[in-house]
């Protein structure tokens, strides 16, 4: 996972930037599949900051999915509200 932790100020700035975003990756009934991981990786490469919608009513399962997804794509979880996750990964091409 990304070595540097986000500061509180950085997290607040990212939350503000993410507020108007729509989810562009959906984790459905099949859970965290290879295609979901690839789509998330591609979206983070293109946008740095994305929202992911995780369908399912089990909160513990959503937290597990969030942690596994962050680890798989080397991203940081900025926010988790209900079924929405906000993920961030610094774009190394900048």
């Amino acid at each position: 996972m990304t070595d540097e932790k986000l500061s509180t100020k950085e997290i607040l700035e990212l939350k503000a930037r993410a507020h108007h975003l729509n989810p562009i990756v959906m984790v459905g009934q099949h859970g965290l599949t290879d295609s979901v991981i690839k789509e998330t990786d591609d979206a983070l490469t293109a946008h740095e900051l994305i929202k992911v919608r995780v369908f399912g009513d089990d909160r513990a399962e959503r937290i597990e999915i969030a942690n596994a997804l962050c680890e798989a794509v080397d991203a940081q979880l900025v926010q988790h509200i209900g079924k929405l996750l906000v993920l961030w990964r610094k774009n190394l091409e900048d």
Side-chain angles (χ1 to χ4, degrees), residues 1 3 8-9 16 30 33 40 43 47 50 52 56 65 72 74 87 91 94:
M1 195 161 210
D3 290 339
T8 304
K9 183 179 178 186
H30 298 294
T33 62
T40 303
H47 303 288
I50 64 168
V52 177
I65 288 172
D74 193 31
L87 303 182
N91 193 343
D94 284 350

Side-chain angles (χ1 to χ4, degrees), residues 54-78:
V54 181
F55 294 103
D57 294 326
D58 186 0
R59 187 176 197 283
E61 185 180 344
R62 290 195 307 264
I63 292 170
E64 249 179 62
I65 288 172
N67 292 334
L69 185 58
C70 286
E71 192 172 315
V73 298
D74 193 31
Q76 292 191 32
L77 181 65
V78 174

Side-chain angles (χ1 to χ4, degrees), residues 15-26:
K15 284 180 181 180
R17 279 180 40 200
H19 182 73
H20 73 281
L21 298 177
N22 291 319
I24 56 175
V25 176
M26 310 290 178

